Protein backbone atom coordinates (compact mmCIF):
# COMPACT_ATOMS: atom_id res chain seq x y z
CA UNK A 1 0.00 0.00 0.00
CA UNK A 2 1.02 3.66 -0.01
CA UNK A 3 4.05 3.95 -2.20
CA UNK A 4 4.31 0.19 -1.97
CA UNK A 5 2.33 -2.44 -3.75
CA UNK A 6 2.92 -5.10 -1.15
CA UNK A 7 1.53 -5.64 2.31
CA UNK A 8 1.78 -2.65 4.64
CA UNK A 9 3.35 0.30 2.97
CA UNK A 10 3.55 3.87 4.17
CA UNK A 11 0.77 5.85 5.77
CA UNK A 12 -1.95 6.87 3.30
CA UNK A 13 -1.36 10.58 3.73
CA UNK A 14 -0.22 12.83 0.89
CA UNK A 15 2.88 14.87 1.65
CA UNK A 16 2.51 18.28 3.23
CA UNK A 17 4.19 21.07 1.30
CA UNK A 18 7.37 20.71 3.34
CA UNK A 19 7.31 16.94 2.81
CA UNK A 20 7.13 17.09 -0.97
CA UNK A 21 9.84 14.86 -2.46
CA UNK A 22 12.74 16.80 -3.87
CA UNK A 23 16.15 16.08 -5.25
CA UNK A 24 17.60 16.65 -1.79
CA UNK A 25 15.17 14.51 0.25
CA UNK A 26 14.08 11.68 -2.02
CA UNK A 27 15.81 8.92 -3.91
CA UNK A 28 14.96 9.36 -7.60
CA UNK A 29 14.88 6.63 -10.24
CA UNK A 30 14.56 7.75 -13.89
CA UNK A 31 12.11 5.70 -16.00
CA UNK A 32 14.92 4.40 -18.22
CA UNK A 33 16.73 2.79 -15.27
CA UNK A 34 17.04 -0.95 -15.76
CA UNK A 35 19.04 -1.93 -12.69
CA UNK A 36 18.16 -5.04 -10.70
CA UNK A 37 16.37 -3.13 -7.92
CA UNK A 38 14.10 -0.76 -9.83
CA UNK A 39 13.55 -1.87 -13.41
CA UNK A 40 10.15 -0.62 -14.50
CA UNK A 41 8.16 -3.77 -15.04
CA UNK A 42 4.82 -4.73 -13.56
CA UNK A 43 6.61 -7.14 -11.26
CA UNK A 44 9.00 -4.47 -10.00
CA UNK A 45 6.17 -2.02 -9.38
CA UNK A 46 4.46 -4.68 -7.27
CA UNK A 47 7.46 -5.04 -4.94
CA UNK A 48 7.57 -3.71 -1.40
CA UNK A 49 10.32 -1.22 -0.63
CA UNK A 50 11.72 -0.17 2.72
CA UNK A 51 14.58 2.03 3.86
CA UNK A 52 17.79 0.09 4.20
CA UNK A 53 18.88 2.39 7.04
CA UNK A 54 15.87 2.38 9.38
CA UNK A 55 13.58 -0.36 8.01
CA UNK A 56 10.64 2.00 7.48
CA UNK A 57 8.38 1.31 4.48
CA UNK A 58 8.92 3.92 1.77
CA UNK A 59 6.36 5.96 -0.16
CA UNK A 60 6.71 6.01 -3.93
CA UNK A 61 5.90 8.85 -6.31
CA UNK A 62 5.95 9.23 -10.07
CA UNK A 63 6.74 12.74 -11.34
CA UNK A 64 4.79 14.01 -14.33
CA UNK A 65 5.38 14.15 -17.19
CA UNK A 66 8.83 12.52 -16.89
CA UNK A 67 7.66 9.43 -15.00
CA UNK A 68 10.70 9.60 -12.69
CA UNK A 69 10.08 7.53 -9.57
CA UNK A 70 10.93 9.00 -6.16
CA UNK A 71 11.05 7.27 -2.79
CA UNK A 72 10.56 9.03 0.53
CA UNK A 73 9.89 8.18 4.15
CA UNK A 74 6.17 8.38 5.00
CA UNK A 75 4.91 11.55 6.61
CA UNK A 76 4.55 9.94 10.05
CA UNK A 77 8.25 8.92 10.09
CA UNK A 78 10.52 11.57 11.59
CA UNK A 79 13.60 10.50 9.63
CA UNK A 80 16.98 12.15 10.04
CA UNK A 81 18.50 10.53 6.93
CA UNK A 82 17.69 10.20 3.22
CA UNK A 83 15.77 7.08 2.13
CA UNK A 84 17.76 4.09 0.93
CA UNK A 85 15.25 1.98 -1.06
CA UNK A 86 15.77 -1.78 -0.85
CA UNK A 87 13.45 -4.76 -1.16
CA UNK A 88 11.42 -4.89 2.06
CA UNK A 89 12.24 -8.53 2.67
CA UNK A 90 15.96 -7.67 2.68
CA UNK A 91 15.67 -5.75 5.96
CA UNK A 92 13.72 -6.01 9.20
CA UNK A 93 10.94 -3.77 7.88
CA UNK A 94 8.63 -2.07 10.39
CA UNK A 95 5.10 -2.28 9.06
CA UNK A 96 2.07 -0.31 10.27
CA UNK A 97 -1.63 -0.04 9.50
CA UNK A 98 -1.99 1.64 6.12
CA UNK A 99 -4.84 3.76 7.45
CA UNK A 100 -3.92 4.90 10.99
CA UNK A 101 -0.23 3.80 11.43
CA UNK A 102 -1.04 1.41 14.29
CA UNK A 103 1.76 -1.22 14.29
CA UNK A 104 -0.64 -3.93 15.47
CA UNK A 105 -1.87 -4.86 11.99
CA UNK A 106 -3.91 -8.02 11.55
CA UNK A 107 -5.51 -8.16 8.09
CA UNK A 108 -4.54 -7.36 4.52
CA UNK A 109 -7.06 -6.24 1.88
CA UNK A 110 -6.58 -5.97 -1.88
CA UNK A 111 -8.11 -3.69 -4.48
CA UNK A 112 -8.90 -4.70 -8.04
CA UNK A 113 -6.72 -1.90 -9.42
CA UNK A 114 -3.92 0.35 -8.28
CA UNK A 115 -5.07 3.37 -6.29
CA UNK A 116 -3.49 6.46 -7.88
CA UNK A 117 -4.00 10.04 -6.70
CA UNK A 118 -2.46 13.09 -8.38
CA UNK A 119 -0.83 15.67 -6.11
CA UNK A 120 -0.03 19.24 -7.18
CA UNK A 121 3.16 20.64 -5.68
CA UNK A 122 5.14 23.85 -6.25
CA UNK A 123 7.58 21.80 -8.28
CA UNK A 124 4.93 20.22 -10.50
CA UNK A 125 2.54 17.28 -10.50
CA UNK A 126 3.15 13.97 -8.77
CA UNK A 127 1.15 10.77 -8.88
CA UNK A 128 0.95 9.08 -5.52
CA UNK A 129 0.91 5.32 -6.10
CA UNK A 130 -0.87 3.57 -3.24
CA UNK A 131 -0.71 0.13 -4.87
CA UNK A 132 -3.28 -2.60 -4.41
CA UNK A 133 -2.55 -4.04 -0.97
CA UNK A 134 -3.82 -2.49 2.26
CA UNK A 135 -2.88 -3.58 5.77
CA UNK A 136 -5.33 -2.82 8.57
CA UNK A 137 -5.39 -2.96 12.35
CA UNK A 138 -8.37 -4.45 14.18
CA UNK A 139 -10.33 -1.19 14.39
CA UNK A 140 -9.62 -0.04 10.84
CA UNK A 141 -10.49 -3.50 9.53
CA UNK A 142 -13.95 -3.18 11.11
CA UNK A 143 -14.45 0.13 9.31
CA UNK A 144 -13.24 -1.34 6.02
CA UNK A 145 -15.63 -4.29 6.38
CA UNK A 146 -18.49 -1.83 6.95
CA UNK A 147 -17.33 0.33 3.99
CA UNK A 148 -17.42 3.23 6.44
CA UNK A 149 -15.64 6.05 4.60
CA UNK A 150 -16.49 8.71 7.19
CA UNK A 151 -15.32 6.47 10.04
CA UNK A 152 -11.99 5.71 8.36
CA UNK A 153 -11.35 9.36 7.60
CA UNK A 154 -12.19 10.36 11.18
CA UNK A 155 -9.86 7.70 12.57
CA UNK A 156 -6.98 8.89 10.35
CA UNK A 157 -7.53 12.53 11.26
CA UNK A 158 -7.71 11.76 14.97
CA UNK A 159 -4.13 10.51 15.14
CA UNK A 160 -2.51 13.73 16.21
CA UNK A 161 -1.74 15.59 12.98
CA UNK A 162 -3.30 18.84 11.79
CA UNK A 163 -4.18 18.46 8.11
CA UNK A 164 -4.92 21.21 5.63
CA UNK A 165 -8.20 21.15 3.71
CA UNK A 166 -6.55 19.92 0.50
CA UNK A 167 -4.95 17.06 2.41
CA UNK A 168 -8.32 15.98 3.81
CA UNK A 169 -9.77 16.10 0.29
CA UNK A 170 -6.88 13.96 -0.96
CA UNK A 171 -7.48 11.40 1.80
CA UNK A 172 -11.19 11.26 0.99
CA UNK A 173 -10.47 10.63 -2.68
CA UNK A 174 -7.99 7.90 -1.82
CA UNK A 175 -10.30 6.14 0.66
CA UNK A 176 -13.22 6.34 -1.77
CA UNK A 177 -11.14 4.54 -4.40
CA UNK A 178 -10.09 1.87 -1.91
CA UNK A 179 -13.59 1.08 -0.69
CA UNK A 180 -15.02 1.13 -4.22
CA UNK A 181 -12.48 -1.35 -5.62
CA UNK A 182 -11.98 -3.83 -2.78
CA UNK A 183 -11.67 -7.46 -3.73
CA UNK A 184 -13.81 -9.94 -1.75
CA UNK A 185 -12.19 -11.45 1.33
CA UNK A 186 -9.09 -10.62 3.32
CA UNK A 187 -5.82 -12.24 4.37
CA UNK A 188 -4.21 -12.71 7.76
CA UNK A 189 -1.09 -10.56 8.17
CA UNK A 190 2.05 -11.83 9.89
CA UNK A 191 3.73 -8.40 9.88
CA UNK A 192 2.01 -6.90 12.94
CA UNK A 193 3.94 -6.00 16.08
CA UNK A 194 2.33 -7.85 18.97
CA UNK A 195 3.87 -8.31 22.37
CA UNK A 196 3.98 -11.92 23.58
CA UNK A 197 1.01 -12.91 25.70
CA UNK A 198 1.37 -16.51 26.92
CA UNK A 199 -1.78 -18.55 27.38
CA UNK A 200 -3.10 -19.84 30.73
CA UNK A 201 -3.41 -23.60 30.95
CA UNK A 202 -7.00 -23.26 32.13
CA UNK A 203 -8.13 -21.72 28.81
CA UNK A 204 -6.20 -23.96 26.42
CA UNK A 205 -9.23 -25.94 25.10
CA UNK A 206 -11.01 -22.69 24.19
CA UNK A 207 -7.89 -21.28 22.55
CA UNK A 208 -7.45 -24.50 20.54
CA UNK A 209 -11.09 -24.52 19.41
CA UNK A 210 -10.96 -20.88 18.29
CA UNK A 211 -7.74 -21.58 16.40
CA UNK A 212 -9.37 -24.54 14.63
CA UNK A 213 -12.28 -22.28 13.64
CA UNK A 214 -9.84 -19.70 12.23
CA UNK A 215 -8.02 -22.34 10.19
CA UNK A 216 -11.34 -23.71 8.90
CA UNK A 217 -12.72 -20.24 8.05
CA UNK A 218 -12.55 -18.10 4.93
CA UNK A 219 -9.65 -15.80 5.87
CA UNK A 220 -6.64 -16.33 3.62
CA UNK A 221 -3.82 -17.90 5.66
CA UNK A 222 -0.02 -17.49 5.34
CA UNK A 223 2.59 -20.20 4.67
CA UNK A 224 0.33 -22.09 2.26
CA UNK A 225 -2.06 -23.11 5.04
CA UNK A 226 -5.03 -21.70 3.12
CA UNK A 227 -4.98 -24.47 0.51
CA UNK A 228 -7.65 -27.10 1.10
CA UNK A 229 -4.99 -29.81 1.11
CA UNK A 230 -3.45 -28.11 4.16
CA UNK A 231 -6.42 -26.37 5.78
CA UNK A 232 -8.76 -29.37 6.06
CA UNK A 233 -6.37 -31.89 7.68
CA UNK A 234 -4.94 -29.23 10.01
CA UNK A 235 -8.42 -28.34 11.23
CA UNK A 236 -9.27 -32.00 11.80
CA UNK A 237 -6.00 -32.55 13.65
CA UNK A 238 -6.51 -29.58 15.98
CA UNK A 239 -9.96 -30.78 17.02
CA UNK A 240 -8.54 -34.09 18.28
CA UNK A 241 -5.11 -32.89 19.38
CA UNK A 242 -3.81 -33.82 22.80
CA UNK A 243 -3.24 -30.61 24.76
CA UNK A 244 -0.03 -29.80 26.63
CA UNK A 245 0.85 -26.74 28.68
CA UNK A 246 4.53 -26.32 29.64
CA UNK A 247 5.30 -24.45 32.85
CA UNK A 248 7.87 -21.64 33.22
CA UNK A 249 10.77 -23.75 34.38
CA UNK A 250 10.40 -26.40 31.71
CA UNK A 251 9.95 -23.65 29.10
CA UNK A 252 13.26 -22.05 30.08
CA UNK A 253 14.90 -25.47 29.86
CA UNK A 254 13.40 -25.99 26.40
CA UNK A 255 14.52 -22.60 25.11
CA UNK A 256 18.07 -23.00 26.41
CA UNK A 257 18.38 -26.55 25.09
CA UNK A 258 16.94 -25.59 21.68
CA UNK A 259 19.60 -22.89 21.28
CA UNK A 260 22.32 -25.56 21.41
CA UNK A 261 20.37 -28.33 19.71
CA UNK A 262 22.83 -30.60 17.89
CA UNK A 263 22.02 -31.84 14.42
CA UNK A 264 19.32 -34.48 14.95
CA UNK A 265 17.46 -36.64 12.48
CA UNK A 266 13.70 -36.48 13.02
CA UNK A 267 12.35 -39.70 14.52
CA UNK A 268 8.55 -40.25 14.51
CA UNK A 269 9.00 -42.05 17.83
CA UNK A 270 9.80 -38.66 19.41
CA UNK A 271 6.14 -37.66 19.16
CA UNK A 272 4.30 -37.89 22.50
CA UNK A 273 1.02 -38.19 20.52
CA UNK A 274 0.07 -38.49 16.85
CA UNK A 275 -1.75 -35.15 17.00
CA UNK A 276 -0.88 -32.54 19.59
CA UNK A 277 -1.00 -28.89 20.59
CA UNK A 278 1.47 -27.39 23.06
CA UNK A 279 1.59 -23.95 24.67
CA UNK A 280 4.68 -22.69 26.49
CA UNK A 281 4.60 -20.34 29.46
CA UNK A 282 7.03 -18.01 27.64
CA UNK A 283 8.13 -17.47 24.02
CA UNK A 284 10.64 -20.14 23.02
CA UNK A 285 12.16 -18.84 19.78
CA UNK A 286 15.03 -16.42 19.24
CA UNK A 287 12.67 -13.64 18.14
CA UNK A 288 10.54 -14.11 21.27
CA UNK A 289 7.31 -14.64 19.36
CA UNK A 290 6.38 -18.33 19.28
CA UNK A 291 4.26 -19.31 22.30
CA UNK A 292 2.49 -22.39 20.93
CA UNK A 293 2.75 -25.08 18.24
CA UNK A 294 0.73 -27.96 16.83
CA UNK A 295 1.65 -31.13 15.01
CA UNK A 296 -0.35 -33.58 12.93
CA UNK A 297 0.72 -36.97 11.58
CA UNK A 298 -0.01 -37.92 7.98
CA UNK A 299 1.57 -41.24 7.12
CA UNK A 300 5.32 -40.85 7.62
CA UNK A 301 5.12 -37.04 7.44
CA UNK A 302 4.39 -34.66 10.32
CA UNK A 303 3.09 -31.16 9.73
CA UNK A 304 4.28 -28.59 12.29
CA UNK A 305 2.78 -25.11 12.76
CA UNK A 306 4.07 -22.50 15.18
CA UNK A 307 1.86 -19.73 16.56
CA UNK A 308 2.31 -16.28 18.05
CA UNK A 309 -0.10 -14.53 20.39
CA UNK A 310 -2.14 -11.48 19.42
CA UNK A 311 -4.18 -8.94 21.35
CA UNK A 312 -1.70 -7.69 23.93
CA UNK A 313 -2.25 -3.98 24.62
CA UNK A 314 -5.64 -3.64 22.90
CA UNK A 315 -8.51 -1.78 24.54
CA UNK A 316 -11.42 -3.98 25.74
CA UNK A 317 -13.75 -3.36 22.77
CA UNK A 318 -11.29 -4.15 19.94
CA UNK A 319 -9.86 -6.99 22.04
CA UNK A 320 -13.28 -8.64 22.28
CA UNK A 321 -13.73 -8.16 18.53
CA UNK A 322 -10.33 -9.78 17.94
CA UNK A 323 -11.14 -12.77 20.13
CA UNK A 324 -14.45 -13.28 18.29
CA UNK A 325 -13.09 -12.93 14.75
CA UNK A 326 -9.63 -14.47 15.11
CA UNK A 327 -8.94 -15.73 18.61
CA UNK A 328 -5.69 -15.77 20.56
CA UNK A 329 -3.16 -17.12 18.05
CA UNK A 330 -2.03 -16.73 14.43
CA UNK A 331 0.54 -18.85 12.52
CA UNK A 332 4.17 -17.78 12.58
CA UNK A 333 5.69 -20.72 10.65
CA UNK A 334 4.65 -23.99 9.02
CA UNK A 335 6.97 -26.85 8.05
CA UNK A 336 6.78 -30.57 7.32
CA UNK A 337 9.18 -33.17 8.74
CA UNK A 338 9.89 -36.67 7.42
CA UNK A 339 11.86 -39.47 9.07
CA UNK A 340 15.57 -38.73 9.12
CA UNK A 341 15.18 -35.09 8.09
CA UNK A 342 17.81 -33.03 9.96
CA UNK A 343 16.75 -30.49 12.59
CA UNK A 344 19.26 -28.02 14.06
CA UNK A 345 19.08 -25.04 16.41
CA UNK A 346 18.35 -22.81 13.39
CA UNK A 347 15.25 -24.80 12.38
CA UNK A 348 11.95 -22.97 13.11
CA UNK A 349 10.64 -26.05 14.94
CA UNK A 350 13.77 -26.52 17.09
CA UNK A 351 11.91 -25.69 20.32
CA UNK A 352 9.09 -28.11 19.54
CA UNK A 353 11.45 -30.94 18.61
CA UNK A 354 13.43 -30.21 21.79
CA UNK A 355 10.23 -30.39 23.85
CA UNK A 356 9.43 -33.81 22.37
CA UNK A 357 12.96 -35.04 23.04
CA UNK A 358 12.95 -33.85 26.64
CA UNK A 359 9.60 -35.52 27.30
CA UNK A 360 10.80 -38.74 25.70
CA UNK A 361 13.91 -38.72 27.89
CA UNK A 362 11.57 -38.77 30.91
CA UNK A 363 12.72 -35.37 32.09
CA UNK A 364 9.10 -34.26 32.41
CA UNK A 365 6.13 -35.31 34.45
CA UNK A 366 2.58 -34.61 33.30
CA UNK A 367 -0.31 -33.88 35.62
CA UNK A 368 -3.87 -32.86 34.68
CA UNK A 369 -4.45 -29.11 34.64
CA UNK A 370 -7.74 -27.69 35.84
CA UNK A 371 -9.83 -26.27 32.99
CA UNK A 372 -12.10 -23.24 33.46
CA UNK A 373 -15.59 -24.23 34.61
CA UNK A 374 -17.24 -22.23 31.81
CA UNK A 375 -15.22 -24.13 29.20
CA UNK A 376 -16.08 -27.52 30.73
CA UNK A 377 -19.77 -26.62 30.74
CA UNK A 378 -19.60 -25.47 27.11
CA UNK A 379 -18.13 -28.88 26.19
CA UNK A 380 -20.92 -30.61 28.10
CA UNK A 381 -23.59 -28.61 26.30
CA UNK A 382 -22.00 -29.53 22.97
CA UNK A 383 -21.88 -33.18 24.13
CA UNK A 384 -18.14 -33.25 23.68
CA UNK A 385 -15.81 -35.20 25.97
CA UNK A 386 -14.48 -33.13 28.86
CA UNK A 387 -11.27 -31.40 27.70
CA UNK A 388 -7.99 -32.54 29.20
CA UNK A 389 -4.81 -30.48 29.45
CA UNK A 390 -1.52 -32.11 30.43
CA UNK A 391 0.58 -29.80 32.60
CA UNK A 392 4.25 -30.51 31.81
CA UNK A 393 6.83 -29.94 34.56
CA UNK A 394 10.46 -30.95 35.15
CA UNK A 395 10.70 -34.26 36.97
CA UNK A 396 13.22 -35.37 39.57
CA UNK A 397 14.17 -32.18 41.39
CA UNK A 398 15.78 -32.58 44.79
CA UNK A 399 14.24 -31.38 48.00
CA UNK A 400 15.03 -27.77 48.83
CA UNK A 401 16.49 -28.86 52.15
CA UNK A 402 18.78 -31.52 50.69
CA UNK A 403 22.41 -30.36 50.57
CA UNK A 404 24.55 -31.03 47.53
CA UNK A 405 28.22 -31.75 47.15
CA UNK A 406 30.10 -28.90 45.50
CA UNK A 407 32.06 -30.79 42.87
CA UNK A 408 34.58 -27.98 42.39
CA UNK A 409 35.21 -27.17 46.04
CA UNK A 410 38.10 -29.61 46.34
CA UNK A 411 37.84 -29.69 50.15
CA UNK A 412 35.28 -32.44 50.56
CA UNK A 413 33.05 -30.04 52.51
CA UNK A 414 29.31 -30.05 51.85
CA UNK A 415 27.35 -26.88 51.33
CA UNK A 416 24.22 -25.79 49.54
CA UNK A 417 24.79 -24.46 46.05
CA UNK A 418 22.95 -21.41 44.78
CA UNK A 419 21.84 -23.10 41.54
CA UNK A 420 20.70 -26.41 40.10
CA UNK A 421 22.43 -28.25 37.29
CA UNK A 422 21.76 -31.04 34.84
CA UNK A 423 23.58 -34.35 35.20
CA UNK A 424 24.47 -36.09 31.96
CA UNK A 425 23.14 -39.58 31.15
CA UNK A 426 25.60 -42.20 32.35
CA UNK A 427 26.05 -45.80 33.50
CA UNK A 428 26.17 -46.77 37.16
CA UNK A 429 27.52 -50.01 38.64
CA UNK A 430 24.48 -50.57 40.82
CA UNK A 431 24.41 -52.98 43.80
CA UNK A 432 21.43 -55.36 43.96
CA UNK A 433 20.37 -58.76 45.24
CA UNK A 434 20.87 -60.35 48.70
CA UNK A 435 22.56 -57.86 51.00
CA UNK A 436 23.27 -55.82 47.81
CA UNK A 437 26.15 -58.19 47.15
CA UNK A 438 25.64 -58.32 43.39
CA UNK A 439 26.25 -55.55 40.88
CA UNK A 440 25.01 -54.69 37.42
CA UNK A 441 25.29 -51.74 35.08
CA UNK A 442 22.14 -49.57 34.94
CA UNK A 443 21.34 -46.41 32.97
CA UNK A 444 21.03 -43.17 34.93
CA UNK A 445 18.93 -40.80 32.86
CA UNK A 446 19.58 -37.03 32.77
CA UNK A 447 18.30 -35.39 35.93
CA UNK A 448 18.54 -32.23 37.98
CA UNK A 449 20.74 -31.86 41.05
CA UNK A 450 20.74 -29.09 43.60
CA UNK A 451 18.23 -27.32 45.84
CA UNK A 452 14.74 -27.21 44.41
CA UNK A 453 14.27 -23.52 45.22
CA UNK A 454 17.33 -22.46 43.20
CA UNK A 455 17.49 -21.51 39.49
CA UNK A 456 18.80 -23.93 36.87
CA UNK A 457 22.22 -23.05 35.49
CA UNK A 458 21.63 -22.49 31.78
CA UNK A 459 25.09 -23.62 30.72
CA UNK A 460 24.32 -27.19 31.80
CA UNK A 461 21.16 -27.63 29.73
CA UNK A 462 23.11 -28.97 26.78
CA UNK A 463 23.77 -32.06 28.87
CA UNK A 464 20.17 -33.25 28.68
CA UNK A 465 20.54 -33.63 24.91
CA UNK A 466 23.60 -35.82 25.18
CA UNK A 467 23.63 -39.45 24.12
CA UNK A 468 24.36 -42.33 26.44
CA UNK A 469 28.00 -43.45 26.27
CA UNK A 470 28.73 -47.12 25.47
CA UNK A 471 28.04 -49.60 28.23
CA UNK A 472 31.27 -50.25 30.19
CA UNK A 473 33.05 -53.53 29.53
CA UNK A 474 32.47 -55.74 32.62
CA UNK A 475 35.78 -57.53 31.98
CA UNK A 476 37.81 -54.36 31.93
Amino acid sequence: MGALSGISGGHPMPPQRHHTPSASTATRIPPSHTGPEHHRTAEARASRFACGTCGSPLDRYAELPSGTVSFEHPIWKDADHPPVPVAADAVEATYVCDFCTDPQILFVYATTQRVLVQVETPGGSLVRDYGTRWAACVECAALVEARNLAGLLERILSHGMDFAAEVVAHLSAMLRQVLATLRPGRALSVDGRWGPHPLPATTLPKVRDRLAALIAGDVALPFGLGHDAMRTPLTASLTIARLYWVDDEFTVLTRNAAQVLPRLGFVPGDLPAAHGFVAWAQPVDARRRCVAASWSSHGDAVQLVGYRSIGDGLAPAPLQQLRTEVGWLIPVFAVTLRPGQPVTAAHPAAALVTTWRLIRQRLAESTPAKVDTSIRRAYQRARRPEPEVALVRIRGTRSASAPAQHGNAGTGSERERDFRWWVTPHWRHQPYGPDRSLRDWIVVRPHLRGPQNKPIRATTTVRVLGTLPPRPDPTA
Side-chain angles (χ1 to χ4, degrees):
M1 178 261 153
L4 311 175
S5 300
I7 300 173
S8 304
H11 191 279
M13 299 177 182
Q16 303 276 21
R17 292 300 182 188
H18 63 282
H19 284 92
T20 300
S22 66
S24 62
T25 64
T27 299
R28 301 158 68 88
I29 312 294
S32 59
H33 183 81
T34 57
E37 285 286 339
H38 310 296
H39 56 87
R40 295 184 55 80
T41 65
E43 181 179 359
R45 290 198 309 269
S47 299
R48 293 189 288 179
F49 290 95
C51 178
T53 301
C54 66
S56 169
L58 294 178
D59 289 348
R60 179 167 56 193
Y61 305 85
E63 298 180 13
L64 297 179
S66 67
T68 299
V69 174
S70 298
F71 290 89
E72 189 178 76
H73 291 96
I75 190 173
W76 52 265
K77 178 73 175 180
D78 187 17
D80 58 0
H81 57 275
V84 180
V86 297
D89 58 4
V91 295
E92 191 73 21
T94 54
Y95 296 111
V96 296
C97 173
D98 286 328
F99 300 98
C100 72
T101 73
D102 188 333
Q104 294 179 318
I105 58 178
L106 186 63
F107 295 110
V108 178
Y109 294 88
T111 56
T112 57
Q113 61 190 42
R114 305 180 71 82
V115 175
L116 306 173
V117 180
Q118 186 166 324
V119 181
E120 298 299 331
T121 73
S125 296
L126 300 174
V127 172
R128 180 74 180 268
D129 181 356
Y130 288 103
T132 61
R133 307 277 288 186
W134 298 78
C137 64
V138 176
E139 294 181 78
C140 287
L143 296 170
V144 171
E145 290 292 318
R147 304 300 192 267
N148 188 340
L149 173 61
L152 275 173
L153 183 59
E154 180 181 358
R155 181 165 169 80
I156 294 173
L157 298 179
S158 67
H159 273 61
M161 300 186 75
D162 186 19
F163 298 106
E166 64 268 24
V167 175
V168 176
H170 179 106
L171 290 171
S172 298
M174 179 269 294
L175 292 174
R176 192 172 293 109
Q177 282 191 58
V178 172
L179 297 181
T181 59
L182 279 177
R183 293 183 182 274
R186 57 185 178 178
L188 203 61
S189 173
V190 297
D191 292 325
R193 274 185 280 168
W194 299 95
H197 188 73
L199 311 167
T202 56
T203 64
L204 214 54
K206 183 176 182 180
V207 171
R208 182 269 310 270
D209 291 345
R210 191 65 199 85
L211 177 61
L214 172 67
I215 300 298
D218 56 4
V219 175
L221 301 174
F223 312 116
L225 296 175
H227 297 294
D228 288 343
M230 300 282 281
R231 190 189 291 261
T232 301
L234 177 57
T235 302
S237 173
L238 283 170
T239 58
I240 63 173
R242 185 175 179 184
L243 303 180
Y244 299 85
W245 187 86
V246 182
D247 77 351
D248 274 288
E249 199 168 54
F250 200 95
T251 297
V252 172
L253 166 65
T254 298
R255 186 171 62 236
N256 291 337
Q259 290 173 355
V260 293
L261 184 70
R263 183 183 177 91
L264 299 174
F266 168 63
V267 179
D270 283 346
L271 300 179
H275 302 271
F277 177 85
V278 60
W280 293 280
Q282 304 174 28
V284 290
D285 61 327
R287 298 183 66 184
R288 308 286 291 173
R289 297 196 305 171
C290 186
V291 298
S294 66
W295 67 92
S296 54
S297 300
H298 309 283
D300 65 348
V302 178
Q303 181 190 43
L304 316 179
V305 184
Y307 306 97
R308 67 183 300 187
S309 57
I310 54 174
D312 186 58
L314 286 182
L319 179 61
Q320 181 57 42
Q321 179 183 343
L322 174 68
R323 298 293 184 240
T324 301
E325 295 184 359
V326 178
W328 285 259
L329 299 170
I330 59 174
V332 71
F333 73 81
V335 296
T336 300
L337 287 181
R338 297 187 180 276
Q341 184 172 337
V343 178
T344 67
H347 195 280
L352 179 58
V353 173
T354 300
T355 301
W356 295 339
R357 182 62 63 97
L358 296 178
I359 292 175
R360 194 188 74 167
Q361 290 184 331
R362 302 180 187 176
L363 300 179
E365 59 184 9
S366 297
T367 57
K370 187 177 180 180
V371 177
D372 282 352
T373 302
S374 60
I375 297 176
R376 294 202 312 270
R377 289 175 178 171
Y379 269 60
Q380 291 172 357
R381 289 192 298 269
R383 297 184 177 181
R384 298 176 62 184
E386 183 169 337
E388 296 181 355
V389 178
L391 180 60
V392 181
R393 296 188 178 101
I394 294 177
R395 132 184 355 256
T397 53
R398 294 183 55 178
S399 168
S401 61
Q405 291 285 347
H406 195 298
N408 297 326
T411 64
S413 61
E414 188 176 82
R415 67 180 180 84
E416 185 178 293
R417 296 192 186 184
D418 58 0
F419 60 89
R420 282 177 290 165
W421 69 99
W422 284 101
V423 177
T424 56
H426 60 278
W427 293 92
R428 176 188 294 164
H429 211 199
Q430 179 75 20
Y432 75 99
D435 298 323
R436 298 173 63 84
S437 60
L438 303 176
R439 287 181 175 268
D440 193 12
W441 290 102
I442 66 168
V443 175
V444 178
R445 293 186 176 275
H447 61 278
L448 275 174
R449 296 291 302 274
Q452 189 173 5
N453 62 338
K454 300 300 182 181
I456 300 173
R457 174 172 282 184
T459 55
T460 69
T461 57
V462 67
R463 299 177 183 175
V464 302
L465 298 172
T467 57
L468 188 68
R471 180 186 175 112
D473 185 355
T475 63

